Amino acid sequence: MDKIVSYQDVIDQLSDGMTIGVGGWGARRKPMSLIREICRSDIKDLTVVSYGGPDVGLLCAHKKIKKLIFGFVSLDMIPLESHFRQARQKNEIDVMELDEGMVQWGLRAAAMNLPFLPTRVGLGTDVLTHNLELEYVTSPYSDAEKLVAMPALNLDIALIHVNKSDEKGNTQIVGPDPFFDELFARAACKTFISSEEVVSTQELGGKDGAIFNRFERSLVTGVLHAPCGAHPTSCAPSYGFDIKHLKEYSEAAKSFDEYSAKYLNKTHQEYIDSVGGAETILNIPLPQF
Amino acid sequence: MSESISLAEICISSSSKAWKGEGEILATGIGLIPRIAAGLAKLTHNPDLMMTDGETYLISQPAPMGKRDTSNDQVEGYMSYSRVFENLWGGKRHAMVTPTQIDSFGQTNISAIGDYDSPKVQLLGVRGFPGNFINHKNSIFIPNHSVKTFVKGEVDMVSGMGYQNKDLSNGKFEIKLVVTNLGVFDFNGENNNLQLLSLHPGVSIDNVIENTGFDVIIKSDEVTQMPTSDELACIREVLDPQGIRNSIFGE
């Protein structure tokens, strides 16, 4: 079984109006090379579900998003995401703003083929005021508590960046926090992986490696070899986030053309060269808090 | 210990009391002052607190501010984002956070300022506030106490719930302590109104009243308790040896 795909193969699977889930968290382990490829394409009107970072910002800057389902959009050390802010402040995107845990709950419901999962989270807040589609459910037990029925966030496609994969889609996230990528994969009809390394099954490291296999290969439709594919976000333990680049990217909200000419509309290799090459990226230290 | 005590140090000492008597829970201090305050609580009155390295691991000693050699961290457990949610849904956590707005109900906002559909200022998004405030105790640190932070009426986008909806929280909702650049407060006034517990040195009751967009009960006009020499040693020598804390008020 060979699931190796090209960027074009992934783009061919996307169409206008689809719901796309993006793995990672803020400025961490985002499938940025795939996001840049979507920005180059003519795909539009996407609904995007994300623990948002520059993935959301770049898609906003390219007017690819019709609706954003999110709990936050942030670049971590740069707390506010300038491109996302601009899109919101100009009323360019529809939003479904949720608590971070509600996003997880929605993905989990989708992963379990359930219509919803109950939660208290959201009660007493404007999350419910601004999302009139969110309904309530009453506990059928003696407490009869009124809870939020968090609807399933079913995804057409999930895009996830990992450290290692074989060509069958046995993936490994070696960084200490796998975030909610497993749920994105389970909530999606198809999942495309971008991977730092593509190795043989043997090279995945047997039992010691298998604990880093966060979801099974049957969930994986395609595997793309994308070394440094998370840049400018981090990919622990290989490289940290590129703060200098994120600052330049952040500043570019004022005049995007210069940033775009320098770094975008390129092949992945050309992009890597434009930001200093793979060796430079691999030398970016992991962030410390 | 001869140097004078800074406002940042007074706020850290006051804020650390948020975790007094809270037992073996996860202490999360988000931002400079809350983070050092959580560390101070662990080093002084509540050694049982669990704290993370700011990333994924629980470590035995609070992570000091600034660059450090993380190979010296004594890792004792795991706290991925997924586990943070599991933990907080179970209520075993006390966070100290800095909302952009807070109102007389104790409702908080970190999402957006102005009209929701095209905000004047888009902030982070509600993040974990709805879940945090309905599931466990929280405390608040506000470095710029003014009518723009302590707002009249309601906050623009209610991210964290308030006392008028406490019944929805299965008894878990509580804002234990509110520390600002002007003084120390809680919401234990009659009808859960904000009340003044102490004023920082040089601050008057009028300063507080003028800078709060709603009524504050004056329970006490005592001067805030100064950090002890033991607390100052922990802050200056262990938790923040580089003095990063003093940047918050430009001290």
Side-chain angles (χ1 to χ4, degrees):
Chain A
M1 197 185 303
D2 181 356
K3 295 181 181 169
I4 301 297
V5 293
S6 67
Y7 285 98
Q8 192 55 50
D9 292 336
V10 179
I11 296 300
D12 288 344
Q13 296 286 320
L14 303 180
S15 54
D16 295 352
M18 271 189 168
T19 299
I20 310 280
V22 186
W25 177 280
R28 295 153 205 229
R29 211 164 34 70
K30 286 288 178 179
M32 292 306 294
S33 70
L34 279 167
I35 297 296
R36 282 186 290 269
E37 202 63 29
I38 294 174
C39 292
R40 286 173 81 181
S41 75
D42 55 9
I43 292 158
K44 58 181 191 302
D45 295 332
L46 297 173
T47 292
V48 173
V49 182
S50 180
Y51 290 105
D55 52 332
V56 170
L58 260 193
L59 291 169
C60 282
H62 289 86
K63 315 272 188 270
K64 296 296 185 191
I65 298 181
K66 182 167 192 302
K67 182 178 182 180
L68 178 66
I69 301 177
F70 76 112
F72 65 87
V73 185
S74 173
L75 302 176
D76 286 274
M77 285 197 167
I78 306 167
L80 301 176
E81 218 294 350
S82 59
H83 303 274
F84 157 71
R85 294 185 85 186
Q86 201 157 288
R88 275 286 282 141
Q89 289 171 192
K90 290 182 179 171
N91 198 7
E92 290 175 348
I93 54 171
D94 297 334
V95 290
M96 182 187 203
E97 181 171 357
L98 300 165
D99 172 88
E100 294 165 358
M102 293 173 89
V103 175
Q104 182 194 345
W105 229 215
L107 293 171
R108 191 177 286 280
M112 296 166 73
N113 292 313
L114 289 171
F116 70 90
L117 279 169
T119 178
R120 277 188 198 99
V121 179
L123 294 174
T125 75
D126 280 336
V127 165
L128 297 178
T129 318
H130 295 302
N131 294 302
L132 293 173
E133 67 270 45
L134 293 180
E135 298 286 351
Y136 299 89
V137 62
T138 303
S139 166
Y141 298 102
S142 59
D143 57 275
E145 192 174 346
K146 191 178 162 192
L147 301 162
V148 176
M150 177 60 213
L153 295 173
N154 294 296
L155 309 173
D156 294 307
I157 304 271
L159 304 175
I160 294 170
H161 188 70
V162 305
N163 301 87
K164 276 185 201 177
S165 179
D166 69 6
E167 61 181 31
K168 292 190 281 190
N170 289 304
T171 58
Q172 291 185 355
I173 295 171
V174 182
D177 197 329
F179 309 122
F180 299 94
D181 291 7
E182 171 183 350
L183 293 180
F184 279 97
R186 293 193 191 285
C189 299
K190 290 179 182 171
T191 296
F192 290 97
I193 299 293
S194 60
S195 184
E196 290 289 320
E197 289 181 74
V198 175
V199 299
S200 69
T201 305
Q202 223 167 9
E203 287 168 314
L204 286 171
K207 289 178 187 168
D208 291 340
I211 59 166
F212 299 109
N213 175 226
R214 316 286 186 169
F215 46 87
E216 58 275 17
R217 66 175 157 79
S218 58
L219 295 163
V220 175
T221 302
V223 175
L224 180 78
H225 184 209
C228 300
H231 184 275
T233 70
S234 65
C235 186
S238 303
Y239 50 94
F241 38 72
D242 188 340
I243 294 164
K244 204 172 137 228
H245 187 96
L246 286 171
K247 278 185 184 155
E248 189 180 347
Y249 159 80
S250 204
E251 287 293 314
K254 291 171 204 147
S255 58
F256 196 63
D257 292 351
E258 197 187 329
Y259 179 89
S260 182
K262 245 169 116 179
Y263 302 116
L264 301 176
N265 300 305
K266 297 178 188 302
T267 66
H268 182 52
Q269 188 54 51
E270 287 167 349
Y271 170 81
I272 294 299
D273 293 340
S274 76
V275 297
E279 202 176 328
T280 308
I281 294 171
L282 293 170
N283 279 322
I284 299 171
L286 292 171
Q288 196 193 90
F289 294 90
Chain B
M1 224 59 71
S2 58
E3 58 188 294
S4 61
I5 296 170
S6 69
L7 177 58
E9 289 166 341
I10 293 168
C11 288
I12 291 165
S13 167
S14 302
S15 298
S16 75
K17 312 294 191 290
W19 289 278
K20 200 141 206 166
E22 298 289 89
E24 194 174 12
I25 56 155
L26 180 66
T28 308
I30 298 177
L32 191 57
I33 299 293
R35 173 172 157 184
I36 302 172
L40 185 62
K42 184 167 170 67
L43 292 183
T44 54
H45 57 79
N46 190 348
D48 293 340
L49 289 174
M50 296 188 294
M51 294 185 71
T52 73
D53 61 352
E55 282 278 315
T56 321
Y57 297 105
L58 291 168
I59 54 177
S60 297
Q61 293 296 319
M65 298 302 300
K67 285 259 178 258
R68 70 180 190 282
D69 180 1
T70 52
S71 64
N72 292 330
D73 290 351
Q74 178 58 60
V75 172
E76 59 179 29
Y78 183 60
M79 193 51 75
S80 61
Y81 281 109
S82 169
R83 198 174 283 186
V84 170
F85 287 126
E86 304 294 343
N87 166 279
L88 81 88
W89 288 335
K92 301 280 196 286
R93 184 191 196 213
H94 185 140
M96 182 177 245
V97 293
T98 296
T100 305
Q101 294 179 325
I102 182 167
D103 64 26
S104 64
F105 301 105
Q107 297 180 128
T108 46
N109 176 19
I110 52 165
S111 165
I113 303 291
D115 172 57
Y116 185 73
D117 291 330
S118 51
K120 186 161 164 252
V121 184
Q122 173 64 45
L123 304 167
L124 289 166
V126 295
R127 292 220 71 152
F129 269 38
N132 293 356
F133 280 83
I134 206 165
N135 283 303
H136 60 70
K137 276 188 228 176
N138 291 270
S139 290
I140 308 275
F141 172 67
I142 303 277
N144 52 341
H145 191 140
S146 77
V147 291
K148 284 189 171 174
T149 46
F150 287 80
V151 299
K152 192 178 167 183
E154 290 189 65
V155 297
D156 291 353
M157 200 297 186
V158 178
S159 313
M161 62 178 289
Y163 276 97
Q164 83 277 36
N165 289 315
K166 182 173 173 156
D167 289 351
L168 302 175
S169 75
N170 200 24
K172 300 286 188 188
F173 171 79
E174 181 183 340
I175 296 176
K176 188 168 169 188
L177 202 60
V178 180
V179 176
T180 81
N181 56 317
L182 300 183
V184 181
F185 307 79
D186 66 18
F187 273 93
N188 295 333
E190 199 185 346
N191 301 318
N192 293 118
N193 281 314
L194 184 74
Q195 64 179 5
L196 175 68
L197 303 179
S198 70
L199 292 162
H200 296 331
V203 178
S204 68
I205 288 179
D206 283 348
N207 292 151
V208 168
I209 291 170
E210 284 162 16
N211 285 294
T212 308
F214 50 88
D215 291 344
V216 191
I217 295 171
I218 310 300
K219 188 185 181 193
S220 160
D221 62 353
E222 279 173 27
V223 177
T224 303
Q225 204 183 335
M226 290 299 103
T228 64
S229 57
D230 183 35
E231 287 178 324
L232 287 172
C234 287
I235 295 168
R236 293 172 179 179
E237 289 158 32
V238 182
L239 294 167
D240 181 27
Q242 296 167 36
I244 297 170
R245 63 190 173 281
N246 294 326
S247 65
I248 189 123
F249 299 122
E251 293 174 292

